[in-house]
Amino acid sequence: MATFLLKIFFLLSIFNISLATRRLNELVQNPSQLLHYHNGPLLSGKISINLIWYGHFKPSQKAIVSDFITSLSLSPSPSPPQTTQPSVASWWKTTEKYYHLSSNKKATRKLSFSLNKQILDESYSLGKSLTNKHLLELASKGEHRNAVNVVLTSADVAVEGFCMSRCGTHGSSSAGRTKGNDKSYKFAYVWVGNSETQCPGQCAWPFHQPIYGPQSPPLVAPNNDVGVDGMVINLASLLAGTATNPFGNGFFQGPPEAPLEAASACPGVYGKGAYPGYAGNLLVDSSTGASYNAHGANGRKFLLPALYDPSTSSCSTLV
């Protein structure tokens, strides 16, 4: 019993939680007000993204998310293969503007994401009802140094606060000292849930009829998967927040426990002309009728949220 309690204490002690959530009731503050910089580090250099799949996901669903991560680093090239514009990579470039405003010298190293390990937990090792502590335990399974560990929970997994107040979250954890290394450090993590059966009207809009607010017909999901295409929207938002506010002292507005960040400062905006209940003027695939605003790897199309552009003090969209 003593050994078990010691393990629990150690698990809790190594985590220094700094949560930022993609909330359901995000409010738009004065868009002319710049997100404040709190003098902390931003993610920089070469960062690997580890995907931790919890529960059951189809191979096609894993491919959608993997292709999105790969798309972040696909730079437009003058020679084939050329990335079709507007692209996921060009959407991500807006985050680079935050680095120019940072006083942290390490932030001058350009951030580069790459897809690394994919860890499968199809046996629901922690059950089908997860708490925040469970999310941290799952996030710790990925590499800690120069990494962002992304926990993805399947449609049949309930998570604390999911659908009630949030669609996903990001934070940081203090990793303990390891053998031959007397230095402790932090790693960043993200959690996103598949809302297809639990709350698509909240966390997969605009691919599902909203359960509250102005009503408009749902859009056709670009990869024909309401739940996972919705996950990509939330993951994109949280990765932008992770890059520019990884440890709770980067760029944000409001209280640290519920901050407005690079993407959450522009909720519900995907294209020009957006207003509550209307995602904006988007591109439409002529063969499928699907709405999107970004091209990605392997011919994928994605719908990505607007990012707050600190150089123009406005929400920047691809289309």
Side-chain angles (χ1 to χ4, degrees), residues 64-296:
I64 293 170
V65 176
S66 298
D67 284 344
F68 167 67
I69 298 298
T70 301
S71 301
L72 291 169
S73 58
L74 286 180
S75 300
S77 171
S79 58
Q82 190 169 11
T83 307
T84 305
Q85 296 297 320
S87 69
V88 174
S90 58
W91 169 82
W92 183 252
K93 283 186 72 67
T94 297
T95 63
E96 293 180 7
K97 298 182 180 183
Y98 288 82
Y99 291 74
H100 300 308
L101 298 172
S102 170
S103 59
N104 192 296
K105 292 182 179 180
K106 289 185 179 179
T108 58
R109 296 164 54 210
K110 185 177 179 181
L111 172 62
S112 174
F113 277 144
S114 62
L115 180 61
N116 191 24
K117 294 183 179 179
Q118 300 201 42
I119 301 169
L120 306 182
D121 188 337
E122 298 178 323
S123 62
Y124 305 88
S125 64
L126 299 176
K128 291 189 176 183
S129 183
L130 305 182
T131 64
N132 287 327
K133 293 177 183 177
H134 288 141
L135 295 179
L136 290 170
E137 186 175 340
L138 290 170
S140 69
K141 292 185 177 183
E143 295 177 357
H144 296 172
R145 190 177 292 277
N146 298 322
V148 174
N149 295 328
V150 177
V151 178
L152 303 148
T153 51
S154 59
D156 56 348
V157 175
V159 177
E160 182 180 346
F162 188 33
C163 297
M164 292 182 287
S165 62
R166 61 184 184 171
C167 303
T169 195
H170 82 83
S172 62
S173 167
S174 293
R177 295 176 176 85
T178 58
K179 187 176 181 180
N181 178 24
D182 59 358
K183 209 172 176 184
S184 62
Y185 51 90
K186 288 184 177 181
F187 70 92
Y189 70 90
V190 173
W191 159 70
V192 179
N194 186 334
S195 66
E196 181 180 8
T197 57
Q198 297 184 53
C199 55
Q202 292 162 290
C203 294
W205 184 85
F207 303 132
H208 191 280
Q209 195 80 16
I211 64 168
Y212 58 85
Q215 298 294 302
S216 57
L219 304 179
V220 177
N223 296 288
N224 198 33
D225 192 310
V226 170
V228 175
D229 277 304
M231 290 181 81
V232 168
I233 290 176
N234 297 323
L235 176 57
S237 175
L238 291 164
L239 282 177
T242 299
T244 57
N245 185 33
F247 308 120
N249 54 5
F251 285 92
F252 67 90
Q253 279 185 19
E257 64 276 5
L260 283 180
E261 299 175 323
S264 59
C266 303
V269 179
Y270 299 91
K272 289 181 174 59
Y275 54 82
Y278 176 63
N281 300 318
L282 304 175
L283 301 174
V284 178
D285 188 303
S286 59
S287 60
T288 65
S291 295
Y292 68 99
N293 60 9
H295 294 270

